[in-house]
């Protein structure tokens, strides 16, 4: 933002954009507008927002990803092996680790490096492990440095292990000082005289957001809360589908005690713990005050092999499966699945208004065809019959599969777009013609590649994606968002995707928030800043704007909440000079105050990054108080790549 209005006028670079903003006559805004898309992509859940610090805590495995000892390390002369003991911890967790002494001398045990480190601070860590075997001595648990072996916390726990039955040992560890870095490990030791013991479900949690047991990492939840979003699509996109091995996300196997969760071969190349399950997702929504948009699996597996789409008769039990899940969430506590919910400590139903049928069901050749022929309608009809108020969203982003008549449930469609800056800007008007009868959710959007000049194109999936979103990408997303806000009566809301990137093992770039085990290295992308500004400045209705200027290089939307309380949002793209604005808001007189908040970065290519352990945040925010001049006109200038919000 430049304060030198006179400079621009003297230089004669650009004439002012004159806008008259009406007090009434627009469209209702979407009550949701901005939200979250969390995809449990490479260690965004396990090893990410799910706060469990121990990697491979319960040796869960499958045909696809057999149980493994990785990353456990033996201590002393311990020999570590995987075993299916004749007494399993549970049907769901049959495999445990056997720790045997090779010499009956000294201390033996096992060590876990966490998910690429463990953050150690003077705070309470809550741990537990299950043991099986004959041992009357003590266990020692420790948090220690992987670099120097310095011990930050250590605790002795008397053994209550028996050979007949698994027993749980609970403990709390409280380091007195913070470790200098996150290169730390968790250690569990005992006297080698025990000979051989089995362990399972070895767990350690730091304090979690809202102190939820089995909860989420506070810093990452704060980063989501800052967005001021209103909805959260659960449990992700590709995450619900399952890959070529045909393991869709099973809500019924993600609930109840952790001992009852077998885990699942996930979509990104490893076994998921499912510690982050349906109830945890719903609590997450409660904790950051967002409404869930629940996706149910609609019969398409990822992968293009012949049998990746179910026939109508194969799909039938899955329709019932979705109804059971809805009963679990919404049903009275005397219903079968409502009773299960109550038994798990949630007598009251959760709030749920939106259900999405599948994810990107047009992805494959016969995907769209089978989806519009029977897959969408089987779910639509069955869910409508039991839940007439739910808004049912198709996953194809078009109107090839939408609900029936006005007497049945409202339906909507989920539109995804990954793009380049120029293309996003060209999509400012994308929703101007959109159906008002069938609304759109913009469930995934992101600028993922740079411009290819002289070609306005979307993504080239064969070309590399950007490692970090540059500021110009975030500005282009802002312009696309302003276009969506302008059509708030046609959209449910929009969510950037994906939400998280674990910098130690990632699959996709760029992402909204990147992190390591060390919370001081959490990076909010430039797009996070843009969404935070736009999302936290809501209004009730758009209002008409009359002007003598076309859109480009400036793009804008105006809205009103209470009479006299206007919100004007604008972004500048591809301007070679500053852009002066002169805005008259109906009913405002000279002297009325306004607040102008402007985001920009040193240049279009600057990104928020982590380099050599240092987080750089390039986004600058300036906040200025303005007063309306003669005739109640606000005057100010915006620079190229400014994203601005003026409130009165
Ligand atoms: C444990 O049992 C599972 C399921 O039968 C089997 O796949 C796995 O190989 C067994 N693991 C060991 C270590 O015996
Ligand atoms: C057990 O100890 C013997 C003697 O020191 C050694 O040769 C052997 O490699 C050890 N076994 C394992 C599995 O570490
Ligand atoms: C047993 O451990 C003690 C102390 O750690 C060591 O001095 C001794 O040599 C060990 N004995 C054997 C047989 O390994
Ligand atoms: C911790 O330090 C060890 C030893 O220097 C190194 O091999 C490892 O990569 C480091 N781990 C992390 C998470 O930094
Ligand atoms: C969960 O539901 C699936 C699909 O109906 C079923 O195959 C599985 O056995 C169920 N799991 C449990 C633990 O009941
Ligand atoms: C729903 O009702 C509205 C208003 O009566 C009508 O314009 C519209 O065509 C109806 N839609 C369908 C699908 O029947
Ligand atoms: C931005 O500027 C470039 C270079 O002049 C041009 O090729 C491109 O079409 C412009 N994009 C938009 C959306 O105005
Ligand atoms: C909107 O509809 C008009 C008339 O059918 C068409 O000319 C225009 O290209 C459409 N705009 C978009 C963004 O689809
Ligand atoms: C994703 O995670 C799996 C398992 O941890 C790993 O094998 C794979 O390489 C990861 N992908 C990337 C791109 O890091
Ligand atoms: C309201 O929506 C209509 C389409 O239904 C659109 O043409 C119009 O521009 C919108 N008005 C405002 C002020 O956004
Ligand atoms: C804005 O309103 C004023 C006063 O009615 C009028 O003179 C001016 O032409 C209008 N400007 C535009 C761009 O509509
Ligand atoms: C605007 O929305 C807020 C919050 O939803 C509500 O309290 C207020 O009454 C609304 N104002 C108008 C004028 O509709």
């Amino acid at each position: 933002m430049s304060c030198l209005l006179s400079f621009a006028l003297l230089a004669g670079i650009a004439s002012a954009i004159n806008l008259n903003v009406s007090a009434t006559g627009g469209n209702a805004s979407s009550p949701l507008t901005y939200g979250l898309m969390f995809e449990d992509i490479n260690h965004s859940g396990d090893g990410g927002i799910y706060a469990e610090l121990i990697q491979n805590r319960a040796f869960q495995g499958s045909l696809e990803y057999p149980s493994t000892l990785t990353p456990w390390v033996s201590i002393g002369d311990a020999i570590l092996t995987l075993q299916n003991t004749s007494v399993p911890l549970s049907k769901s967790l049959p495999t445990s680790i056997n720790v045997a002494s090779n010499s009956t001398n000294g201390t033996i045990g096992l060590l876990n490096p966490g998910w690429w480190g463990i953050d150690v601070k003077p705070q309470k860590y809550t741990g537990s492990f299950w043991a099986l075997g004959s041992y009357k001595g003590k266990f020692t648990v420790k948090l220690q440095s992987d670099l120097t072996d310095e011990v930050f916390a250590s605790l002795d726990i008397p053994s209550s292990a028996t050979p007949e039955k698994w027993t749980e040992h609970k403990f709390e560890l409280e380091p007195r000082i913070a470790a200098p870095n996150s290169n730390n490990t968790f250690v569990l030791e005992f006297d080698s005289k025990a000979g051989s013991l089995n362990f399972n479900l070895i767990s350690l949690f730091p304090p979690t957001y809202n102190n939820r047991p089995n909860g989420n990492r506070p810093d990452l939840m704060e980063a989501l809360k800052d967005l001021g979003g209103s909805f959260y699509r659960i449990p992700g996109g590709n995450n619900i589908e399952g890959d070529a091995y045909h393991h869709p996300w099973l809500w019924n196997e993600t609930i109840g005690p952790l001992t009852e969760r077998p885990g699942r071969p996930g979509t990104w190349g490893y076994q998921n713990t499912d510690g982050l399950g349906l109830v945890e997702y719903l609590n997450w929504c409660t904790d950051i005050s967002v409404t869930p948009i629940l996706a149910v699996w609609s019969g398409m597996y990822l992968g293009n092999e012949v049998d990746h789409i179910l026939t109508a008769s194969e799909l039938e039990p899955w329709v019932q499966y979705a109804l059971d899940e809805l009963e679990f969430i919404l049903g009275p506590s005397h219903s079968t699945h409502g009773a299960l919910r109550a038994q798990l400590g949630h007598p009251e139903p959760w709030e749920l208004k939106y259900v999405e049928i599948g994810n990107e069901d047009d992805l494959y050749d016969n995907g769209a065809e089978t989806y519009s022929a029977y897959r969408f309608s089987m779910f639509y009809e069955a869910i409508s019959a039991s839940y007439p108020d739910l808004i049912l969203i198709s996953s194809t982003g078009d109107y090839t599969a939408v609900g029936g008549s006005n007497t049945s449930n409202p339906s909507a469609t989920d539109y995804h777009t990954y793009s380049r800056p120029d293309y996003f800007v060209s999509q400012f008007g994308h929703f101007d013609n959109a159906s008002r009868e069938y609304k759109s959710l913009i469930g995934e959007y992101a600028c993922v590649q740079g411009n290819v000049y002289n070609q306005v194109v979307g993504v080239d999936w064969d070309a590399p994606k950007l490692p970090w979103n540059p500021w110009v990408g975030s500005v282009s997303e802002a312009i696309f968002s302003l276009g969506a806000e302008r059509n708030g009566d046609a959209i449910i809301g929009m969510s950037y995707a994906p939400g998280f990137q674990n910098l130690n093992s990632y699959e996709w770039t760029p992402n909204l928030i990147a992190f390591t085990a060390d919370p001081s290295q959490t990076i909010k992308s430039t797009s996070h800043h843009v969404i935070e500004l736009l999302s936290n400045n809501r209004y009730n209705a758009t209002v008409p704007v009359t002007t003598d200027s076309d859109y480009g290089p400036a793009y804008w939307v105006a809205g009103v909440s209470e009479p006299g309380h206007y919100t004007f949002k604008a972004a500048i793209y591809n301007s070679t000079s500053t852009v002066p604005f002169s805005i008259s808001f109906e009913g405002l007189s000279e002297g009325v105050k306004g607040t102008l908040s402007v985001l920009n970065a040193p240049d279009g290519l600057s990104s928020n990054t982590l380099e050599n352990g240092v987080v750089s945040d390039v986004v600058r925010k300036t906040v200025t108080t303005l007063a309306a001049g003669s005739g109640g006109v606000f005057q100010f200038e915006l620079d190229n790549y400014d994203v601005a919000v003026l409130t009165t």
Side-chain angles (χ1 to χ4, degrees):
M1 206 256 320
S2 162
C3 299
L4 299 173
L5 176 62
S6 54
F7 173 79
L9 292 177
L10 285 172
I13 293 166
S15 56
I17 295 182
N18 298 304
L19 305 171
N20 285 350
V21 179
S22 305
T24 55
N27 302 307
S29 305
S30 161
L32 299 187
T33 315
Y34 293 93
L36 316 173
M37 159 58 176
F38 169 80
E39 187 69 290
D40 197 352
I41 196 163
N42 262 50
H43 303 298
S44 296
D46 289 332
I49 196 164
Y50 179 52
E52 174 63 80
L53 293 168
I54 305 299
Q55 185 180 166
N56 192 19
R57 66 183 175 193
F59 315 98
Q60 289 153 295
S62 55
L63 280 180
E64 188 175 359
Y65 306 114
S67 295
T68 167
L69 287 170
T70 308
W72 291 95
V73 174
S74 84
I75 289 178
D77 62 5
I79 300 167
L80 308 182
T81 43
L82 291 172
Q83 283 183 357
N84 289 347
T85 49
S86 53
V87 184
L89 172 55
S90 67
K91 201 163 155 261
S92 301
L93 299 179
T95 304
S96 60
I97 192 166
N98 178 269
V99 184
S101 170
N102 192 18
S103 74
T104 67
N105 191 25
T107 297
I108 57 169
L110 65 174
L111 173 152
N112 192 287
W115 298 97
W116 302 280
I118 294 178
D119 178 48
V120 172
K121 288 212 176 65
Q123 58 187 7
K124 205 170 276 174
Y125 292 77
T126 310
S128 60
F129 60 87
W130 293 77
L132 182 75
S134 187
Y135 181 48
K136 299 253 177 307
K138 66 179 169 64
F139 294 108
T140 304
V141 289
K142 293 191 266 192
L143 281 169
Q144 68 184 40
S145 168
D146 199 24
L147 299 171
T148 64
D149 288 344
E150 181 182 356
V151 175
F152 301 108
S154 174
L155 183 77
D156 291 343
I157 308 161
S159 168
S160 52
T162 71
E164 297 82 31
K165 161 171 166 299
W166 285 88
T167 43
E168 187 176 20
H169 297 73
K170 295 186 178 181
F171 61 90
E172 278 178 356
L173 269 178
E174 193 162 356
R176 271 190 308 273
I177 54 162
N181 54 56
S182 62
N183 200 336
N184 306 305
T185 61
F186 171 76
V187 165
L188 167 56
E189 288 176 341
F190 56 98
D191 192 327
S192 64
K193 291 194 181 63
S196 153
L197 293 174
N198 283 67
F199 296 93
N200 208 345
L201 198 54
I202 305 165
S203 172
L204 188 71
F205 276 82
T208 58
Y209 193 73
N210 271 4
N211 295 314
R212 289 264 185 204
N214 196 40
N216 286 349
R217 243 176 87 161
D219 64 311
L220 298 182
M221 289 292 276
E222 293 289 353
L224 292 181
K225 177 103 178 145
D226 290 347
L227 289 171
S230 308
F231 71 89
Y232 169 28
R233 181 164 150 241
I234 58 174
N238 289 158
N239 192 39
I240 62 164
E241 291 162 310
D243 61 12
Y245 287 80
H246 296 185
H247 289 280
W249 187 81
L250 298 178
W251 70 270
N252 60 322
E253 301 200 341
T254 71
I255 57 172
L258 296 180
T259 49
E260 302 307 316
R261 304 190 196 182
R264 152 187 180 246
T267 307
W268 287 279
Y270 55 95
Q271 187 80 10
N272 287 19
T273 66
D274 282 343
L276 179 56
L278 178 59
V279 170
E280 287 76 20
Y281 279 123
L282 291 164
N283 286 341
W284 171 346
C285 292
T286 304
D287 284 350
I288 58 169
S289 310
V290 297
T291 196
I293 294 181
L294 178 78
V296 297
W297 186 61
S298 57
M300 186 182 83
Y301 301 107
L302 285 175
N304 223 347
E305 72 276 29
V306 277
D307 60 347
H308 72 117
I309 292 181
L310 302 194
T311 63
S313 61
E314 287 168 338
L315 196 53
E316 251 162 43
W318 291 98
V319 174
Q320 185 56 46
Y321 185 71
L323 292 174
D324 292 347
E325 181 178 12
L326 292 175
E327 189 180 87
F328 178 80
I329 296 170
L330 293 168
S333 56
H334 58 76
S335 61
T336 309
H337 297 92
L340 178 58
R341 178 194 66 234
Q343 188 197 318
L344 297 178
H346 298 268
E348 296 302 319
W350 278 279
E351 271 183 34
L352 179 70
K353 293 193 190 120
Y354 301 88
V355 174
E356 180 161 352
I357 315 299
N359 172 63
E360 297 180 349
D361 280 278
D362 54 341
L363 194 61
Y364 301 112
D365 294 346
N366 48 350
E369 192 181 305
T370 53
Y371 191 71
S372 59
Y374 61 90
R375 292 194 291 128
F376 178 81
S377 58
M378 283 173 71
F379 286 88
Y380 180 84
E381 299 302 335
I383 295 173
S384 299
S386 303
Y387 302 94
D389 298 326
L390 285 176
I391 297 168
L392 301 176
I393 305 173
S394 70
S395 73
T396 47
D398 56 22
Y399 310 113
T400 53
V402 284
S405 66
N406 284 337
T407 56
S408 201
N409 290 40
S411 71
T413 192
D414 182 2
Y415 174 79
H416 296 176
T417 177
Y418 293 96
S419 190
R420 300 173 187 266
D422 270 356
Y423 188 76
F424 258 132
V425 173
S426 77
Q427 297 302 294
F428 176 70
H430 183 89
F431 290 95
D432 290 354
N433 285 347
S435 164
R436 264 57 188 169
E437 183 175 5
Y438 303 116
K439 294 193 182 192
S440 295
L441 170 69
I442 308 168
E444 300 181 21
Y445 73 92
C447 174
V448 298
Q449 286 173 341
N451 285 322
V452 180
Y453 277 118
N454 305 319
Q455 280 177 288
V456 175
V457 290
V459 177
D460 172 2
W461 291 113
D462 294 328
K465 297 195 288 308
L466 293 163
W468 306 94
N469 199 2
W471 178 244
V472 63
S474 304
V475 174
S476 73
E477 291 158 6
I479 291 167
F480 179 64
S481 305
L482 299 187
E485 284 197 32
R486 242 163 39 99
N487 293 287
D489 58 326
I491 69 152
I492 291 174
M494 62 193 305
S495 45
Y496 184 100
F500 286 111
Q501 174 183 13
N502 186 326
L503 289 165
N504 287 296
S505 173
Y506 56 84
E507 169 84 28
W508 178 287
T509 59
N511 297 267
L512 192 60
I513 298 161
F515 62 88
T516 69
D518 180 350
S520 73
Q521 297 182 338
T522 293
I523 303 149
K524 298 176 189 173
S525 68
T526 52
S527 297
H528 185 286
H529 289 269
V530 164
I531 297 165
E532 183 174 358
L533 179 70
L534 297 181
S535 175
N536 284 300
N537 284 285
R538 307 282 183 102
Y539 45 84
N540 295 24
T542 59
V543 282
V545 179
T546 54
T547 178
D548 46 17
S549 303
D550 292 333
Y551 290 120
Y555 300 82
W556 60 82
V557 63
V560 69
S561 298
E562 305 298 324
H565 290 278
Y566 290 96
T567 304
F568 175 80
K569 303 185 183 181
I572 313 293
Y573 183 84
N574 256 8
S575 177
T576 51
S577 60
T578 55
V579 180
F581 281 83
S582 180
I583 311 180
S584 166
F585 295 97
E586 186 181 346
L588 296 194
S589 46
E590 186 171 350
V592 166
K593 293 277 189 304
T595 304
L596 179 66
S597 305
V598 181
L599 302 181
N600 207 325
D603 61 68
L605 298 181
S606 333
S607 298
N608 288 353
T609 57
L610 178 74
E611 265 154 30
N612 305 319
V614 179
V615 175
S616 80
D617 188 341
V618 299
V619 179
R620 300 175 314 219
K621 182 176 187 180
T622 50
V623 179
T624 326
T625 302
L626 303 178
S630 148
V633 175
F634 283 92
Q635 290 189 309
F636 57 90
E637 290 184 355
L638 295 179
D639 283 334
N640 192 31
Y641 299 149
D642 274 354
V643 176
V645 173
L646 172 66
T647 53
T648 69

